[in-house]
Amino acid sequence: MRILLPAVAVVASLAACGGSGEGNADTKLAGTKIVPGTKVFKSMDSLQCSGGGVPLSALQAQLAAANIQVQAAECGNDGRPTPAVCGVSDGRIGIFEIPVDQGAVAAAAGFKPLTTLPGAKTIPCA
C-alpha cells in the first residue's frame, strides 16, 4: 500500500499537466495565412567520381518554364543505398517546394513527389 500511494500521486500530478490545448503552436498558427506547398524532386544526374550533372538553378528553371512557382529550393540525396563505383549515380537530387495545385504540372515536367523517397534528406549544394 505504501508503494501504491506515491505512484497514484505521480500519475495524478502528470495528468493535471495535460491542459486544454489553448496556446499551443497549432492554435497559434491557425489564424495565419501560411499556405503549405508540396515538395517535388528531380535527379541532378551527377555521377560518382566525375560529378557533373544538372545544377539546381537549371532544374528550377525547368519549373519556371512550366509556369510553376518555386517557394523553396535545396539540394538533397535520394537516400537510396548505392555501391561506391565510379560512373554510378551519386544520388543527388534537387528538391523544390511548390504550390500543391501545381503538382500535376510538375509531374508532366518530369518531377516526382518527394514522398516517393522516404529516405531522402537535404544536403549542402556542392
Side-chain angles (χ1 to χ4, degrees):
M1 187 69 162
R2 288 185 178 161
I3 296 174
L4 184 58
L5 186 58
V8 170
V10 169
V11 171
S13 66
L14 289 175
C17 294
S20 66
E22 290 181 35
N24 67 23
D26 292 336
T27 55
K28 287 180 182 175
L29 293 176
T32 62
K33 299 246 182 197
I34 298 173
V35 179
T38 187
K39 289 191 176 185
V40 295
F41 77 94
K42 193 170 189 180
S43 173
M44 296 178 112
D45 293 328
S46 54
L47 304 175
Q48 293 182 49
C49 302
S50 59
V54 182
L56 187 67
S57 59
L59 293 176
Q60 186 168 345
Q62 291 175 17
L63 290 168
N67 292 320
I68 297 172
Q69 176 191 3
V70 174
Q71 298 167 336
E74 54 196 342
C75 295
N77 181 282
D78 63 16
R80 296 178 180 157
T82 55
V85 177
C86 288
V88 174
S89 173
D90 62 7
R92 290 182 58 226
I93 58 175
I95 302 172
F96 303 92
E97 186 170 347
I98 62 171
V100 174
D101 62 347
Q102 294 184 327
V105 179
F111 291 79
K112 297 178 184 169
L114 188 60
T115 56
T116 62
L117 290 178
K121 59 185 172 201
T122 60
I123 60 172
C125 292

